[in-house]
Amino acid sequence: RSPSRGLGDVYKRQGGSACARSAAADADADAEASGAAAAAHIVSALGTLSKGFTHASAAGMRPVFASTLEAALQTAGVFPRSAELRSRVLMLLHRMVECLGEGVLPYLQSATPQLLHGAQPAEMHEVVTLINQVVAKFKDACAPLLTALTPTVSRRAAPRRAAPRLSLIHMTLPTKRIV
């Protein structure tokens, strides 16, 4: 067997293996996307269903709504790259502010960083709108939540610092070293 033929065989084996890995990764990505889309559809249906309830009429349903919200937040953790699912979970959180009342506050502390992860500016705006709704509705009761969330939101919303710029003094210094 010649050395070049042996290297060609190795190359073919590695290439085929890489091709199979790529196909498997594509299949996994497709499965993840379809799973996230199905989850978003379910969360959206639950949010729409909750529109039939107010805080007063949801009294007997609060445990069901709380467990639904927990499941939706866990699902969003399974599919963290799905903007559609994050959007539907946000809609459900808006509804749970009405249905659960102050009972939604503990969920918001864990949900907010999850919703901000990978969020585009429009999604960040929606998260801030949710926080605004909570502040308007619960006022002093949400102070501990705001204290906990402020660093997270600030860190995510703050623009990245640009590289330091040279000052006028640095630009006028001689470039050659005098001995």
Side-chain angles (χ1 to χ4, degrees):
R1 190 174 221 196
S2 72
S4 63
R5 186 171 164 186
L7 291 175
D9 290 342
V10 170
Y11 177 76
K12 285 179 188 175
R13 280 195 307 261
Q14 287 178 346
S17 175
C19 209
R21 280 193 304 268
S22 176
D26 288 346
D28 287 346
D30 290 345
E32 183 175 335
S34 64
H41 184 71
I42 292 168
V43 171
S44 180
L46 293 169
T48 303
L49 175 72
S50 73
K51 288 184 178 185
F53 295 89
T54 62
H55 183 69
S57 66
M61 294 292 293
R62 284 196 188 102
V64 174
F65 284 139
S67 64
T68 298
L69 182 56
E70 281 181 34
L73 293 172
Q74 288 173 355
T75 304
V78 172
F79 302 107
R81 292 187 303 253
S82 174
E84 180 184 8
L85 181 57
R86 281 193 308 267
S87 172
R88 299 303 189 258
V89 168
L90 236 147
M91 180 201 60
L92 182 64
L93 279 164
H94 277 289
R95 288 299 311 140
M96 293 301 107
V97 167
E98 296 300 321
C99 295
L100 295 177
E102 288 182 14
V104 76
L105 294 176
Y107 297 104
L108 289 173
Q109 189 164 353
S110 65
T112 304
Q114 187 176 0
L115 293 170
L116 288 172
H117 178 73
Q120 299 299 315
E123 291 176 278
M124 289 177 57
H125 179 264
E126 291 301 319
V127 172
V128 171
T129 301
L130 173 66
I131 293 170
N132 187 40
Q133 177 190 9
V134 168
V135 169
K137 185 148 184 94
F138 305 123
K139 299 180 183 29
D140 292 338
C142 67
L145 173 71
L146 288 177
T147 302
L149 291 182
T150 299
T152 303
V153 174
S154 298
R155 208 174 21 252
R156 182 64 177 96
R160 298 186 192 272
R161 294 185 181 188
R165 295 184 182 167
L166 295 176
S167 68
L168 186 57
I169 294 171
H170 288 103
M171 294 182 348
T172 57
L173 291 176
T175 55
K176 291 184 180 179
R177 201 165 127 181
I178 302 173
V179 183

